[in-house]
Amino acid sequence: MTSSTADNSSSIDEARERYRIEREKRLRPEGMAQFNELKGDYADFDIDPYVEPGFAREAIVEETDAVIVGGGFAGMLTAINLTKQGVRNFRMVEKAGDFGGTWYWNRYPGCMCDVESYTYMPMLEETGYMPTEKYASAPEIFAYAQQLGRHFDLYPHALFQTEIDTAEWDEPAGRWLVTTTRGDKLSSKFFVTAGGILHKAKLPGIPGINDFAGRAFHTSRWDFSYTGGSSREPMENLRNKRVGIIGTGATAVQAVPRLAETAQELFVFQRTPSAVGVRNNGPTDVDWWNSLEPGWQAERIRNFTQAVTGTKPDRDLVDDGWTSVMWENTQRVPESPTEAERLEAADFATMEALRQRVDQIIDDPQTADNLKAWYGKHCKRVCFHDEYLPSFNAANVHLVDTNGQGVEQITAAGVVVDGVEYELDLLIFASGFEVTTDLDQRLGFDPRGRNGVALSERWHDGAHTLHGVLSAEFPNMMMISLVQAGFGTNFLHFLSKSAEHTAWLIAECQKRDIATIEATPEAEEEWLGVLYSVAAGVGEYSATCTPGYYNSEQNYSDKAARNLVYVGSLLDYAAYLERWRDDGTFAGTRTTKIKGSGTLSA
Ligand code: NDP
C-alpha cells in the first residue's frame, strides 16, 4: 500500500484506521433514541411559521374513492396519475398550508435541490416549464409544485392545515373511515399514505434545549420574522446577532454560506463533517433546452439513476458531481479479493480527493483538518457546494468541532462544547429528519386495519409489506415511503415510480370491480427475502461507516432490519413493480370482488 506523503495525503491503510477511529468515537448506545420528536416539550418547534394563525373552516363529511395523506410530490403525483386514469373523486389531506411538501417546509436561505433540476422536477415535458438553473432553488421548486397543483386542478381536492386524527378500516362497509384534526369525517375506498420521506424534523436530545433564552428553531421552520430577509434576500437582522447552527449535513452545507453573509458571528457546531464536492451551478442553456426531443426527461432520469447506482451509462447525460462520485458502487459484494481491493481503492480515491479539496480551499490548517470526512462515500449523503467551505475562511465564521461527541449542553445563554460556553442570540438546529423510525411515528397516526389492529401492533417486529406498498390486514391501504421500498439519490425518481404504481393499483381495482386488495403474509416474507438478499453485501460496508440516518445510527435491531429499504438500484426496484403490473395477476395479494364474488388470488 502507498504511504502518506508530505502534502497531507493519506494511504488506504491510514484511512481505514482513521475511519475506524472516527466511527467508534461517534457510536452511541442509545442510537435513534438520542433524538427528540417535535412534540410534547418540543411542540413549539413544530409550529408552522408560514401560515397566518387562526385558520378555521367547516368540517367536511363525505364519501370518496381515495384519501391521499400528503401534498408533497408523492401525494401530488399519485393524484395526478389517478386523475389521468379517470379516478377524480379523491381528497388530499395535508398538514401544511399548501402543496410542496419538503419544499413548503424548507425555506431556509440557500435551500436548493442538490439533484439537477431537469431530472428532479417532475413532469417538465407536460407542463412545459423550463427550470432557470441546473440546480434549482427551493422557492422555484415550491412555486413549481403550486404550478403542478393548478395545472392538474388539484387544489379543489386539498384539505390544507389538516392532519389525520384516526384512520380505521371498517370491515362491513369495506371502507376506510378517516377523521381529521379539523373534524372531517371521510369514508374512503382507498387510503394512500404519502406522508413524506424526510419530513419529520428531529431535535438532538441535548440537555437544556428548552432552557435557551434566545430564539431557537429547526431549519425546516425558519423564522424570517427574527432573521429578516427571505429565502433569497440577505438576513439583515443578523448583523448584530451571534448565531449558532448545530449540524453539518446537507442542510447546513447550504444554509451556512447565507448565514455567514450577515451574521455578526457564526458558530458552526460540528459532530461529523460532510464531504463536499464541486457544485458548478449555472443558468439553463436555452438553446440546449429547445433542442431536447420528446421523451428526453424520462431518459435523463433513468440515465442519472443508472450513473449513480453503479452501472455507468455509455453517455453520462447529467455529468455532474453526483455522477462522477457515485458512478461506481463500491459497497457491492466483491467477487474476489482482488476486486475487493480495487473497490476499496476506488472509494478511497474518491473520498481522498474530497479531503484534498478541503486543503485547497481552507486557509487555517486546523480548520481544514476538522472539515475532512473520514468515512466511505456510501456512508453519508455526499454534498456539492461551492460556497460552504470558503465560508470558514471568513473572520466571523467559527467551526466548533466537537470531536465526534456532539454538543454537550444548551444553557440559557448558549451552547456548551468541551466545557466552553458559546453565547448566542440565535440557535438553529440543522439536525435533520427521522428516516428509519417506525412508519406510524413518522406518519403521526397509527392506521387500524382489520379487527381494529393497529399498524404498530401488526408491525411490532418491523414492517411487513409487498414491495413496500401493500400490507396484509390493511386492505386498500397503499404506502409510499422508503420502508421496504426503493431508494435513490434522486428521490423524485423513486416517488414518481411509487406514485405511478399506487395510482395504477387503485384504477385497476376500480376497473376490475375489486372490492379489497392486500398483501398475503407469504408474499410479504418472500419480498423480505428479496430485500435481504440485495442488502447482504451492503451490511459489511455499512458496518465501517460513521453513524447516521443511512444506517439507523449504527444501531441494528431485528426490527430495524425489517424496516430496511431496497438497497439495490432503484432501476431494479422499479423493474420489479413494472413486471408485477405487466403480469396482471396481482400476484402475492388477496383480493375480493365487489358483490361478493369471492377471492381472486392468494
Ligand atoms: P442530517 O441528518 O444529514 O444532518 C444532521 C446533522 O446534525 C448532522 O451533521 C449530525 O451529526 C448533526 N447532529 C445531530 N445531533 C447532534 C448533536 N447532538 N450535536 C451536534 N450535531 C448533531 O440532516 P440534514 O437536514 O442536513 O439533511 C437530511 C437529508 O435531507 C439529506 O441527507 C438529504 O437527503 C436531504 N436534503 C436534501 C437536500 C437536497 O438538496 N436534495 C438539501 C438538504 C437536505 P452526525 O452526522 O454526527 O450525526
Side-chain angles (χ1 to χ4, degrees):
M1 294 288 167
T2 51
S3 59
S4 60
T5 62
D7 66 356
N8 284 345
S9 59
S10 51
S11 71
I12 296 183
D13 290 337
E14 285 168 342
R16 197 186 297 121
E17 178 58 5
R18 184 79 190 264
Y19 288 9
R20 187 188 63 76
I21 293 167
E22 296 296 334
R23 172 181 177 276
E24 282 180 8
K25 223 189 263 178
R26 291 171 173 81
L27 289 176
R28 294 171 70 130
E30 67 270 42
M32 290 303 298
Q34 68 181 282
F35 296 105
N36 289 321
E37 287 182 68
L38 271 57
K39 63 182 201 185
D41 287 349
Y42 310 103
D44 283 356
F45 280 95
D46 199 26
I47 292 170
D48 182 348
Y50 316 126
V51 289
E52 295 296 325
F55 169 78
R57 65 164 169 79
E58 292 288 311
I60 289 171
V61 179
E62 69 180 19
E63 293 211 341
T64 182
D65 287 337
V67 166
I68 301 170
V69 185
F73 280 133
M76 295 182 85
L77 292 173
T78 303
I80 291 167
N81 279 301
L82 279 178
T83 307
K84 284 182 173 178
Q85 307 218 30
V87 180
R88 297 205 166 78
N89 183 19
F90 57 85
R91 273 286 168 199
M92 304 177 75
V93 180
E94 168 57 58
K95 171 179 173 170
D98 206 331
F99 288 125
T102 200
W103 304 105
Y104 172 91
W105 293 109
N106 287 286
R107 303 185 188 197
Y108 60 84
C111 183
M112 56 163 47
C113 186
D114 61 3
V115 170
E116 190 206 54
S117 54
Y118 321 123
T119 58
Y120 180 85
M121 291 168 80
M123 315 194 93
L124 291 176
E125 286 193 68
E126 292 196 45
T127 58
Y129 181 80
M130 182 188 82
T132 60
E133 294 175 287
K134 187 164 168 81
Y135 303 95
S137 287
E140 179 169 349
I141 307 175
F142 178 34
Y144 183 65
Q146 293 169 311
Q147 184 179 327
L148 275 182
R150 290 189 298 272
H151 190 96
F152 292 98
D153 204 22
L154 301 183
Y155 277 94
H157 299 270
L159 299 175
F160 293 125
Q161 297 190 59
T162 304
E163 292 177 66
I164 302 291
D165 195 9
T166 61
E168 188 156 359
W169 175 251
D170 178 353
E171 181 74 25
R175 301 180 75 83
W176 280 91
L177 296 182
V178 179
T179 64
T180 76
T181 48
R182 299 273 170 201
D184 308 311
K185 289 186 174 27
L186 308 171
S187 163
S188 177
K189 186 167 172 193
F190 296 96
F191 186 55
V192 180
T193 61
I197 293 180
L198 284 150
H199 68 291
K200 191 158 185 250
K202 61 182 167 45
L203 287 175
I206 303 167
I209 285 190
N210 280 335
D211 296 345
F212 182 60
R215 183 75 183 98
F217 53 78
H218 189 273
T219 45
S220 63
R221 304 285 185 277
W222 201 272
D223 183 359
F224 285 106
S225 72
Y226 182 90
T227 63
S230 68
S231 298
R232 293 188 189 277
E233 290 150 340
M235 293 170 279
E236 293 297 340
N237 298 356
L238 299 184
R239 294 210 182 267
N240 60 352
K241 297 284 191 291
R242 297 156 304 177
V243 180
I245 182 164
I246 294 182
T248 48
T251 296
V253 164
Q254 296 179 342
V256 160
R258 297 282 84 83
L259 289 165
E261 270 169 13
T262 55
Q264 183 186 48
E265 302 290 338
L266 175 65
F267 297 89
V268 181
F269 298 99
Q270 172 180 272
R271 189 164 72 178
T272 309
S274 282
V276 187
V278 174
R279 174 70 306 168
N280 205 11
N281 197 7
T284 300
D285 175 344
V286 180
D287 290 339
W288 165 77
W289 179 263
N290 289 332
S291 74
L292 293 167
E293 299 286 339
W296 69 267
Q297 197 183 21
E299 187 197 351
R300 201 172 177 89
I301 289 171
R302 203 186 149 77
N303 182 279
F304 177 74
T305 294
Q306 190 179 338
V308 294
T309 50
T311 39
K312 202 173 184 177
D314 292 340
R315 204 170 142 229
D316 177 358
L317 294 175
V318 172
D319 189 19
D320 70 352
W322 277 119
T323 62
S324 72
V325 165
M326 287 300 172
W327 72 267
E328 176 145 44
N329 177 1
T330 53
Q331 63 179 345
R332 70 168 189 266
V333 189
E335 281 172 9
S336 65
T338 321
E339 193 188 22
E341 214 169 283
R342 194 186 63 70
L343 291 178
E344 187 185 30
D347 195 301
F348 167 80
T350 299
M351 292 305 284
E352 187 61 13
L354 293 167
R355 289 189 285 267
Q356 295 290 319
R357 181 169 185 254
V358 179
D359 282 326
Q360 287 153 16
I361 293 173
I362 301 291
D363 298 335
D364 174 50
Q366 183 60 55
T367 306
D369 208 41
N370 287 339
L371 284 167
K372 289 180 186 169
W374 293 100
Y375 44 80
K377 69 177 189 180
H378 294 285
C379 291
K380 281 181 188 282
R381 192 172 172 99
V382 176
C383 302
F384 300 94
H385 209 284
D386 296 336
E387 295 148 77
Y388 176 70
L389 292 172
S391 302
F392 292 94
N393 289 333
N396 65 327
V397 180
H398 317 281
L399 179 69
V400 183
D401 183 60
T402 65
N403 192 27
Q405 300 309 296
V407 166
E408 214 166 286
Q409 199 184 346
I410 294 172
T411 63
V415 160
V416 181
V417 174
D418 205 14
V420 178
E421 185 178 66
Y422 296 84
E423 291 191 6
L424 302 170
D425 301 298
L426 168 64
L427 178 56
I428 299 162
F429 291 98
S431 45
F433 304 88
E434 294 185 22
V435 183
T436 54
T437 50
D438 293 345
L439 187 61
D440 61 283
Q441 176 171 322
R442 271 178 292 136
L443 284 172
F445 60 92
D446 199 1
R448 288 188 177 273
R450 198 169 277 124
N451 301 318
V453 175
L455 193 69
S456 60
E457 289 169 57
R458 171 144 201 272
W459 288 16
H460 67 93
D461 58 345
H464 295 250
T465 79
L466 175 63
H467 306 144
V469 179
L470 296 170
S471 189
E473 304 297 320
F474 290 81
N476 296 1
M477 182 170 97
M478 285 89 185
M479 295 163 286
I480 300 185
S481 86
L482 297 183
V483 179
Q484 296 197 351
F487 179 63
T489 302
N490 179 5
F491 282 8
L492 247 296
H493 189 183
F494 162 64
L495 295 177
S496 306
K497 291 295 167 191
S498 282
E500 193 181 303
H501 187 69
T502 296
W504 181 90
L505 271 172
I506 292 174
E508 203 62 18
C509 285
Q510 298 285 66
K511 270 186 223 151
R512 298 191 199 181
D513 279 348
I514 286 174
T516 66
I517 182 167
E518 67 196 277
T520 64
E522 296 75 26
E524 292 175 336
E525 287 312 296
E526 215 174 289
W527 179 242
L528 186 67
V530 172
L531 295 169
Y532 281 168
S533 68
V534 178
V538 176
E540 206 171 303
Y541 181 100
S542 188
T544 67
C545 290
T546 48
Y549 79 80
Y550 271 27
N551 49 46
S552 289
E553 301 294 331
Q554 288 289 8
N555 208 279
Y556 296 110
S557 59
D558 291 348
K559 189 174 183 181
R562 279 196 92 101
N563 289 346
L564 81 174
V565 298
Y566 181 92
V567 295
S569 168
L570 174 57
L571 295 176
D572 295 340
Y573 173 76
Y576 264 101
L577 299 185
E578 210 172 310
R579 276 197 304 273
W580 188 87
R581 291 196 301 270
D582 287 349
D583 170 60
T585 63
F586 286 172
T589 68
R590 197 160 72 97
T591 54
T592 57
K593 275 262 196 188
I594 289 173
K595 300 185 196 104
S597 62
T599 297
L600 278 184
S601 60

